[in-house]
Amino acid sequence: MAPNDELVFAPLGGVGEIGMNLGLYGFGPRKARSWLVMDLGMSFAGEEAPGVDLVLPDIRFLEAEKRNIAGLVLTHGHEDHVGAVLDLWPKLKCPIFTTRFTAGLLEAKRAGEPGAPSSLPITVVRAGAQVQIGPFSVEFVPVSHSIPDSHAVAIRTPAGLVLHTGDWKLDPTPLVGEPTDIARLKALGDEGVRAIICDSTNAIRDGVSPSEKDVAESLTAVVAKAKHRVAFTTFSSNVARVRAIAQAAHANGREVVVVGRALERVIGVAREQGLLDGVPAFRSAEAYGFLPRERVVAILTGSQGEPRAALRRIADDDHPEIALSPGDLVVFSSRTIPGNEKVVNHIVNALIKRGVEVLTDRTALVHVSGHPRRGEMMEMYRMIRPQVAVPVHGEALHLHEHALLAKGLGVPEVVTCYDGQVIRLAPGPAERVDDVPFGRLYKDGRLLLAEGGRTIPERRKLSFVGAVSIAVAVDRQGGIAGDPSVEITGVPERGEGGVDMLDHVLDTVVATLDNLPKARRRDPDALAETLERAVRAAVNAVWGKKPVCHVHILEV
């Protein structure tokens, strides 16, 4: 290793927040590092970004370092780890390394998404194998998670060995896919791990996460007790849960109907790769209405309240083929991602109002997390015995509790960091040594909007105060040509005292124009500013809010 070489870690997403995971490992001298990109995920927009579909990480730093990117490694196929690939990879055009199921999911998504790249340069790596990516020797270590083919990544450089855990848990009976490779993790610990970059999602929960096998047994009992239809909603990528639901249906003499394109895509890839061998073919949505109520188990997309997913449309009585009746049962075999509580509660309440029973993990074992609780995290630290711990994948509370746990277990150096911070892992003490640009991109239709742009703040303001649009034609002498035109959007029809808001605005415009001398009317900018101030003040007087006001001056 050259004297100026360093090994650093720099998260651009997923550290200090849930989702949108993107981590960088850099090796070499500060001005000429090679970068290994770890995952490229997305998250969902909340109320702070009205109309936005998805949130992606801002990769302007990576774009500037494009020539130094050795490769992109995908630890598993969840959208918070791969969901930004199709939109952002064209900006990087780097080689991609992942394992078979993740590659299959990404290719299926690419083939079905308009505007996606025509191809992706994916190298499929066998589970447990090693691959050299620039100066990084990368080993894919199988771990249990709520999607098949999940891996921790052991990264070897001349500066030392780092274990990037990805998402994981210690589930000895995951139903689908391989269990966590305990023997390999212990061997890595014996080899000597400089740093562990570890999942913090469940760092505030004591004990050990239950197994997928336990959930499967519980789901079978739930279906056995049901008198009418049973509809499950779960994460589309949870193939083990799909298998468990299918087994529960078969054990109770029911057929399975699958509703939702995301589910169909994942199930198609899973069947191609033998992950659902022995499970009978599922029925399509068209068959739903022809099956007796007591013979149906449906699996639906929409566990997070997505507006166009099957469950949301069913709850709103807006699905063309699927309906639920009083006495039917909906089972949320999932957890609500932070930020989605409001829309999920809307669905639950809408179902209950229609007489549909709802079951969640608050009252029954119908879901388990794919992330480790504190007991599993302690076991990981005992196996790996790292010199440095860096908590990732979580909000500030999760990172803080994880850091306390690591310190309590005797890890010599524990570094809490957040997106945009560069942490030196070796040589020397682990510490923050630099900062890099980071942020968010909003996927709005087919466009990617920068976080600092005006579009989202303006849209947010419109959602609070509405808009008034005014058009006035003025001749060269400053005379008014015709009647002004006024439209109001998102503004109450009537103000205090029953004032008709449209008439109130129009009267204000006419009065303002009448009181202005012709010389001032001949200045379009001054005229527009005067009308805007007058209208906003007039509306505020009868509403208590000042709307956005657009004034168009047409010179004739």
Side-chain angles (χ1 to χ4, degrees):
M1 188 171 80
N4 293 327
D5 284 349
E6 290 181 320
L7 175 61
V8 300
F9 171 66
L12 299 184
V15 183
E17 62 193 342
I18 299 291
M20 203 176 74
N21 295 289
L22 168 56
L24 310 180
Y25 290 92
F27 179 75
R30 181 175 179 180
K31 297 296 184 181
R33 290 181 180 130
S34 293
W35 294 100
L36 182 70
V37 184
M38 194 67 61
D39 291 325
L40 191 53
M42 46 70 69
S43 63
F44 294 107
E47 293 181 350
E48 80 286 351
V52 168
D53 303 306
L54 302 172
V55 182
L56 313 179
D58 186 331
I59 59 168
R60 61 195 136 132
F61 173 74
L62 277 178
E63 290 181 77
E65 292 285 323
K66 182 176 177 179
R67 293 183 179 180
N68 298 322
I69 298 175
L72 165 62
V73 172
L74 302 176
T75 59
H76 64 284
H78 275 151
E79 289 293 296
D80 61 329
H81 289 257
V82 305
V85 170
L86 296 184
D87 288 300
L88 299 184
W89 176 85
K91 298 176 181 290
L92 306 177
K93 295 189 182 300
C94 60
I96 301 172
F97 301 84
T98 191
T99 45
R100 187 181 176 213
F101 185 70
T102 305
L105 283 182
L106 196 55
E107 176 57 26
K109 183 180 178 183
R110 185 202 63 77
E113 185 160 314
S118 58
S119 63
L120 293 171
I122 299 176
T123 297
V124 176
V125 182
R126 179 178 50 82
Q130 296 186 34
V131 60
Q132 191 71 33
I133 308 174
F136 307 94
S137 176
V138 175
E139 177 183 350
F140 287 77
V141 182
V143 292
S144 297
H145 187 43
S146 51
I147 187 173
D149 221 16
S150 297
H151 292 83
V153 179
I155 306 167
R156 294 177 175 84
T157 73
L161 168 61
V162 174
L163 181 66
H164 181 98
T165 68
D167 292 353
W168 64 280
K169 65 184 288 189
L170 298 179
D171 186 347
T173 52
L175 287 190
V176 172
E178 299 184 53
T180 298
D181 192 338
I182 300 296
R184 188 66 197 127
L185 291 174
K186 289 180 177 178
L188 291 173
D190 293 340
E191 180 180 340
V193 174
R194 170 59 184 167
I196 185 170
I197 315 297
C198 188
D199 182 3
S200 308
T201 307
N202 278 341
I204 59 176
R205 301 191 67 181
D206 290 325
V208 173
S209 296
S211 170
E212 279 292 338
K213 182 173 179 291
D214 300 327
V215 175
E217 294 171 354
S218 178
L219 297 186
T220 299
V222 167
V223 176
K225 293 177 182 177
K227 295 180 180 179
H228 301 299
R229 300 184 187 97
V230 182
F232 289 91
T233 186
T234 188
F235 295 106
S236 299
S237 56
N238 196 333
V239 179
R241 198 66 51 79
V242 171
R243 175 180 277 276
I245 293 167
Q247 291 174 345
H250 180 72
N252 289 283
R254 293 178 180 241
E255 294 198 61
V256 177
V257 176
V258 172
V259 187
R261 284 180 295 177
L263 264 170
E264 292 167 359
R265 182 171 64 238
V266 172
I267 289 170
V269 175
R271 286 200 183 278
E272 287 176 8
Q273 299 191 9
L275 298 175
L276 290 175
D277 285 353
V279 175
F282 299 141
R283 305 291 293 272
S284 66
E286 290 81 4
Y288 178 87
F290 297 97
L291 295 171
R293 288 178 70 189
E294 70 278 4
R295 292 284 307 281
V296 177
V297 165
I299 310 178
L300 313 172
T301 55
S303 66
Q304 300 307 305
E306 299 92 324
R308 300 308 300 165
L311 183 59
R312 175 67 176 267
R313 298 184 67 187
I314 293 166
D316 292 340
D317 199 21
D318 184 40
H319 198 284
E321 295 159 321
I322 309 296
L324 294 171
S325 305
D328 291 343
L329 172 66
V330 171
V331 180
F332 280 80
S333 189
S334 57
R335 72 175 179 92
T336 302
I337 295 172
N340 294 341
E341 295 89 351
K342 188 173 182 179
V343 288
V344 171
N345 288 340
H346 164 81
I347 290 174
V348 170
N349 288 322
L351 292 170
I352 290 173
K353 286 179 181 178
R354 294 171 54 193
V356 176
E357 300 294 327
V358 176
L359 187 63
T360 72
D361 63 350
R362 290 192 294 268
T363 55
L365 183 58
V366 295
H367 175 68
V368 289
S369 171
H371 300 271
R373 296 185 186 178
R374 294 173 67 87
E376 294 157 278
M377 295 171 70
M378 292 176 187
E379 181 61 25
M380 175 68 84
Y381 276 99
R382 282 191 284 265
M383 291 188 288
I384 298 302
R385 306 184 299 281
Q387 297 173 333
V388 177
V390 181
V392 294
H393 298 176
E395 297 174 339
L397 173 62
H398 306 97
L399 304 180
H400 175 70
E401 291 298 322
H402 184 166
L404 292 178
L405 183 145
K407 291 175 182 176
L409 293 171
V411 177
E413 299 178 78
V414 179
V415 181
T416 299
C417 68
Y418 295 95
D419 292 341
Q421 299 177 354
V422 181
I423 307 302
R424 182 181 61 214
L425 301 177
E431 61 185 0
R432 178 179 174 184
V433 295
D434 203 356
D435 295 293
V436 295
F438 74 102
R440 296 180 166 206
L441 298 174
Y442 296 112
K443 186 169 185 182
D444 189 34
R446 292 193 296 271
L447 302 179
L448 294 179
L449 307 179
E451 184 177 25
R454 70 180 196 177
T455 303
I456 303 305
E458 287 182 354
R459 192 178 295 171
R460 191 162 53 236
K461 186 175 182 180
L462 284 170
S463 71
F464 285 115
V465 297
V468 174
S469 298
I470 303 162
V472 178
V474 182
D475 63 28
R476 292 180 179 178
Q477 289 74 41
I480 305 302
D483 295 330
S485 173
V486 173
E487 291 186 3
I488 61 175
T489 304
V491 176
E493 294 180 2
R494 295 193 176 275
E496 288 180 335
V499 173
D500 184 287
M501 195 70 80
L502 186 59
D503 289 344
H504 183 59
V505 172
L506 185 57
D507 291 344
T508 301
V509 171
V510 171
T512 303
L513 291 172
D514 289 343
N515 290 328
L516 281 176
K518 285 188 176 183
R520 189 165 177 80
R521 292 183 202 159
R522 289 197 296 269
D523 183 340
D525 293 337
L527 177 56
E529 181 183 355
T530 301
L531 287 172
E532 178 183 349
R533 290 166 62 181
V535 168
R536 296 187 75 212
V539 173
N540 184 55
V542 296
W543 183 24
K545 288 186 177 183
K546 295 181 179 181
V548 174
C549 189
H550 298 130
V551 181
H552 307 278
I553 305 300
L554 178 63
E555 297 178 271
V556 295

